[in-house]
Amino acid sequence: MTTQRSGAGDNAGRARATVSPPPQDMRADAGPPAAPGLDFLATLLISVGDPVEIGPTAEGTRRLIPITGGTVRGPQLNGTVLPGGADFQLLRSATLTELEAKYSIETDTGERIYVSNFGIRSGSDEDIATLVRGGKVDPERIYFRCTPRFLAGGPEWSWLSSRILIGAGTRLQSSVRIDIWILA
């Protein structure tokens, strides 16, 4: 944008702006940018214990789901989900649950990775109530997405801490399946 001063009349001394057209690659008619790619990392099958019901709070109903173990299998990462973690759930409404899981993985090569995973699970009030009771719901009817963060305790997997990961989850009878991709 350039500014020009008017020299006469009622507009004397006032600035008048002229706008230059945007560069060709910034114009609205240039179309949307290409979406970033995804590289599949692994599937986590996480075994869970019986829920510990905390109850209603000022933010919603709180529950804690113990993580008892599991497996990690994929083209890039393989290992075991170690027992001792938990999923700290907040049922915000009859249709929305916030998930905050914290647990660790031991890779097949012995390196340990700390996982902090925030997610959202939503569906109809009937479907969410069925899941909370431990029942089965068709995964197609539930939106379950997450953004795990991996922090490795060794050099082999430390690069994961500088990547954004996304996941899609499915609640099963006594476990949770999470498919994880690296945002390229």
Side-chain angles (χ1 to χ4, degrees):
M1 180 165 64
T2 59
T3 304
Q4 298 176 346
R5 295 258 177 213
S6 174
D10 292 341
N11 293 325
R14 291 191 187 173
R16 182 177 45 164
T18 58
V19 178
S20 302
Q24 186 65 28
D25 58 350
M26 296 294 291
R27 295 178 54 180
D29 61 357
L38 296 174
D39 295 324
F40 182 64
L41 178 66
T43 294
L44 282 61
L45 190 59
I46 303 168
S47 302
V48 296
D50 293 332
V52 176
E53 301 293 340
I54 307 302
T57 70
E59 296 177 332
T61 301
R62 284 266 179 204
R63 15 183 355 217
L64 182 148
I65 314 297
I67 293 175
T68 60
T71 59
V72 180
R73 295 287 171 255
Q76 297 189 54
L77 180 64
N78 290 281
T80 303
V81 175
L82 300 175
D87 183 4
F88 303 90
Q89 296 186 355
L90 176 61
L91 284 74
R92 288 262 180 208
S93 70
T95 61
L96 177 64
T97 304
E98 288 182 5
L99 313 165
E100 186 177 356
K102 298 186 182 294
Y103 52 96
S104 56
I105 292 170
E106 184 170 272
T107 69
D108 284 351
T109 60
E111 191 167 322
R112 292 197 172 162
I113 301 171
Y114 173 77
V115 180
S116 178
N117 191 3
F118 178 80
I120 298 275
R121 186 173 65 200
S122 64
S124 72
D125 54 352
E126 296 164 5
D127 287 342
I128 295 298
T130 300
L131 288 176
V132 168
R133 288 191 308 270
K136 186 176 180 181
V137 175
D138 179 355
E140 294 294 319
R141 296 184 2 205
I142 301 295
Y143 179 86
F144 183 173
R145 301 292 185 266
C146 57
T147 54
R149 178 141 191 231
F150 283 30
L151 299 170
E156 182 181 3
W157 295 100
S158 62
W159 62 273
L160 281 174
S161 66
S162 65
R163 301 295 186 270
I164 293 178
L165 307 177
I166 60 170
T170 303
R171 177 67 164 98
L172 305 170
Q173 204 65 27
S174 60
S175 62
V176 175
R177 176 189 168 128
I178 301 176
D179 299 314
I180 298 176
W181 292 266
I182 301 166
L183 190 60

